[in-house]
Amino acid sequence: KFFKIKKLGQAEKTELDAHFENLLSRADCTKNWTEKIYRQTEVMLQPNPGARIEEFLYEKLDRKVPPRPTNGEILGQFMLEAAKEFGPGTPYGSTLIKVGDCQRRLGGAEREFLQTSSISFLTPLRNFLEGDWRTISKERRLLENRRLDLDACKARLKKAKTAEAKAAAVPDFQETRPRNYVLSASASALWNEELDKAEHEMRVAQTEFDRQAEVTRLLLEGISSTHVNHLRCLCEFVEVQAMYYSQCHNYMQELQRELGRWAHVRFHVNSHPAGSPTDPSTFLPLNSPSLLETDALQIEEVQPPASGTRKAKVLYDYDAGDSSELSLRADELITVYTVPGMDSDWLIGERGNQKGKVPVTYLELLS
């Protein structure tokens, strides 16, 4: 049922059938690729080999891994501490606070992503390699031992049959002495007994081999269920990864919008080069009425340059920070141009009768 006999010289080797061999090959392929995917996913989630070794040791000691801040969280903390030194009221300090807070949120999202990915994807792969596969390997070794025992029993049976046939051969009454008849009969009886013993041992070996082959076959066929389980875990991993990247994208868009609202402070500074860096009027707050009124007046008076305008595609949504700016919606087309003395980070954008400043980083300029 599970085997065929293959002759190698004078020896006979029990070979498993083609279906069984296919199951073995599929299992080996599953194990090899699962191991590669598992190792590389570990590297992707935790590039630091020292940290991976530390986590491995804690796991073997059955102890909880101590919380470790992510690189983003560390960077965010450094930025916040630097902002305190430079002064949170300065443009650089206030920007450091915004960026540092965003980096901390990115780091927190990364930590959550790592934890969820480990539970939903890495753990099932590791359970297969350290659980199911070890059981399969153990039963395969037992099957190989049963096959070797069966082959040995077949060899002994063949030898006993050959010897019994020689002993049972009819002697030559003319050339053989009477004493040899007694020896021949005695030898024949001994080989008959040896033949019966060899046949019994082979039947026992065959039964044990068939039983072990059935156990191993059932385990190997379970690889199909393993694939189904790993497919589900893979889909969960993709969902978690997509959620993580989407969350990071939202954080960065929010940060970009916040920094965009602060950019006109730089425009105000560049428009007043004679002002001292320590002059409080140089760093007017965003809600300063005088600044907004000045910008609004300038925007209303701006006219397209004689050199012409360009079309631009909006990459992200943008909410105007004040009346001098123009709100944007992703994928829409607007007309843009610049005017002398304007900050290079901004352009004038027009949509129908609406006009206002727009951040360059939110646009893709079209030829």
Side-chain angles (χ1 to χ4, degrees), residues 54-341:
E54 181 182 356
E55 292 173 359
F56 174 79
L57 293 176
Y58 272 101
E59 182 180 342
K60 291 303 178 183
L61 295 174
D62 197 21
R63 296 176 59 184
K64 185 177 180 180
V65 180
R68 182 189 299 109
T70 62
N71 292 328
E73 291 175 313
I74 295 175
L75 174 60
Q77 186 61 35
F78 286 171
M79 288 183 172
L80 294 176
E81 292 176 1
K84 293 179 181 179
E85 293 288 333
F86 299 144
T90 64
Y92 185 35
S94 61
T95 304
L96 278 173
I97 291 176
K98 293 179 181 296
V99 178
D101 182 64
C102 180
Q103 293 299 327
R104 291 179 65 178
R105 287 191 290 168
L106 290 172
E110 179 186 3
R111 185 175 63 255
E112 184 177 351
F113 164 64
L114 297 179
Q115 294 173 348
T116 306
S117 297
S118 177
I119 295 173
S120 63
F121 188 58
L122 281 183
T123 298
L125 298 187
R126 183 172 62 246
N127 288 343
F128 167 73
L129 294 171
E130 297 181 355
D132 295 348
W133 182 252
R134 288 184 179 179
T135 302
I136 291 174
S137 299
K138 175 184 175 182
E139 297 302 328
R140 286 176 67 176
R141 288 192 296 270
L142 288 175
L143 179 62
E144 179 63 16
N145 291 336
R146 297 289 182 266
R147 185 188 67 79
L148 294 174
D149 292 342
L150 179 60
D151 290 345
C153 289
K154 289 177 180 178
R156 285 197 296 270
L157 178 60
K158 182 178 179 180
K159 181 179 179 181
K161 285 183 176 180
T162 302
E164 191 270 341
K166 289 182 178 180
V170 179
D172 189 338
F173 289 97
Q174 295 179 354
E175 299 181 3
T176 305
R177 296 178 183 178
R179 179 172 176 272
N180 289 342
Y181 293 114
V182 177
L183 294 175
S184 178
S186 176
S188 179
L190 289 174
W191 281 113
N192 282 333
E193 182 180 350
E194 184 67 21
L195 181 61
D196 291 341
K197 181 180 178 182
E199 289 178 342
H200 173 72
E201 290 178 349
M202 196 196 75
R203 285 193 297 270
V204 173
Q206 185 69 64
T207 300
E208 292 180 350
F209 174 81
D210 290 342
R211 183 185 299 113
Q212 186 59 38
E214 176 66 18
V215 171
T216 307
R217 180 185 65 82
L218 292 174
L219 288 173
L220 293 174
E221 289 178 345
I223 291 294
S224 297
S225 299
T226 299
H227 285 191
V228 172
N229 182 44
H230 288 181
L231 171 61
R232 178 182 57 81
C233 296
L234 180 62
C235 292
E236 291 181 2
F237 174 65
V238 172
E239 289 295 328
V240 171
Q241 197 172 29
M243 187 181 303
Y244 164 62
Y245 287 128
S246 176
Q247 193 174 12
C248 291
H249 179 67
N250 291 336
Y251 287 156
M252 293 307 300
Q253 276 196 318
E254 182 181 346
L255 175 63
Q256 202 171 30
R257 284 193 294 268
E258 290 184 6
L259 295 182
R261 296 190 185 102
W262 278 81
H264 64 281
V265 173
R266 297 197 303 272
F267 173 71
H268 179 71
V269 172
N270 293 336
S271 301
H272 301 79
S276 170
T278 57
D279 185 356
S281 63
T282 304
F283 306 112
L284 292 176
L286 286 179
N287 58 357
S288 171
S290 60
L291 180 61
L292 296 181
E293 291 172 0
T294 302
D295 283 347
L297 179 62
Q298 291 177 345
I299 291 298
E300 292 173 357
E301 296 177 351
V302 165
Q303 296 297 325
S307 59
T309 60
R310 297 180 66 177
K311 291 291 184 181
K313 179 182 178 181
V314 178
L315 300 176
Y316 322 105
D317 291 347
Y318 176 75
D319 295 328
D322 54 55
S323 59
S324 69
E325 298 177 6
L326 179 66
S327 295
L328 303 174
R329 292 296 172 262
D331 297 328
E332 71 174 335
L333 293 178
I334 63 173
T335 301
V336 295
Y337 52 88
T338 186
V339 294

